Amino acid sequence: MSSTDIFFNDADGISTDGENWVAEADYEKNNPAPDVEWWTAEEYEKWIATQKEELEALIGTGDGWYDGQGVFHEWTQESVDATIAEYQETLESIKNGTLYSKDNGEGDTYSMIPPTEDVVSEYGVNVTKENGESVHIGNYASNEELDKALNDAVDNGQLTQAEADAAHQQ
């Protein structure tokens, strides 16, 4: 998944446009998750040391890179120091729990920021009763709370056991 992919996920499955839906299992089968190897802090720290040696060896050789404007920049001590400083920031992020992937050999890398208080997960389910009526049981902080709510709905007659069992399978 690239940083520009936006997915919608609900009881209908997964959609990339909010209109055309596919079952989540079918989507995952046709779009398998990449095999990602994550950096450890120790590995990344060793990699930085290697990069520093390699980049410093390029100073004064005429080697460099083109920026997004097509301007060539030759490696200098200042540009090496700036690059290593960026790598050090990434290392600190890894130490603080952010996951960064190693290059997969095709130039693709991934990062994943762990959940914080700002990320909210809700658990819920839409149940279609035998009479065709739709009932929403949800907005719970955990799957366990949702399971309890489904059991309570059976106990108070809001759902039949068969309807609750079908909801548990969603």
Side-chain angles (χ1 to χ4, degrees):
M1 179 168 65
S2 76
S3 62
T4 58
D5 291 334
I6 298 174
F7 291 97
F8 301 91
N9 192 346
D10 72 5
D12 294 324
I14 293 180
S15 173
T16 56
D17 61 9
E19 296 177 15
N20 299 301
W21 296 90
V22 63
E24 188 170 355
D26 290 337
Y27 180 85
E28 290 173 0
K29 184 173 98 180
N30 294 324
N31 299 282
D35 186 23
V36 178
E37 186 178 355
W38 303 105
W39 284 104
T40 66
E42 296 79 24
E43 290 172 327
Y44 198 77
E45 198 161 20
K46 288 178 186 175
W47 179 81
I48 290 173
T50 302
Q51 288 299 299
K52 184 173 183 179
E53 288 178 19
E54 289 178 9
L55 293 176
E56 286 179 341
L58 297 175
I59 296 171
T61 65
D63 281 337
W65 73 98
Y66 285 95
D67 65 17
Q69 306 301 315
V71 176
F72 183 77
H73 298 271
E74 188 173 334
W75 285 108
T76 65
Q77 188 64 54
E78 290 172 341
S79 61
V80 169
D81 291 345
T83 300
I84 297 303
E86 288 178 22
Y87 294 160
Q88 290 290 341
E89 288 178 20
T90 300
L91 175 60
E92 288 306 310
S93 293
I94 291 170
K95 288 179 179 179
N96 291 322
T98 302
L99 299 175
Y100 286 90
S101 70
K102 297 178 181 179
D103 186 311
N104 67 357
E106 297 175 12
D108 294 332
T109 59
Y110 306 89
S111 64
M112 183 181 345
I113 300 171
T116 67
E117 296 85 39
D118 298 336
V119 177
V120 177
S121 295
E122 290 185 343
Y123 295 83
V125 65
N126 293 319
V127 180
T128 302
K129 296 178 61 155
E130 292 170 0
N131 67 6
E133 177 187 351
S134 181
V135 176
H136 178 74
I137 308 286
N139 303 338
Y140 294 100
S142 71
N143 213 15
E144 292 76 21
E145 290 178 22
L146 175 60
D147 289 343
K148 182 182 179 326
L150 285 167
N151 291 334
D152 290 347
V154 170
D155 291 344
N156 69 27
Q158 186 180 10
L159 298 176
T160 66
Q161 187 62 54
E163 292 165 340
D165 290 343
H168 278 289
Q169 294 176 4
Q170 286 188 20

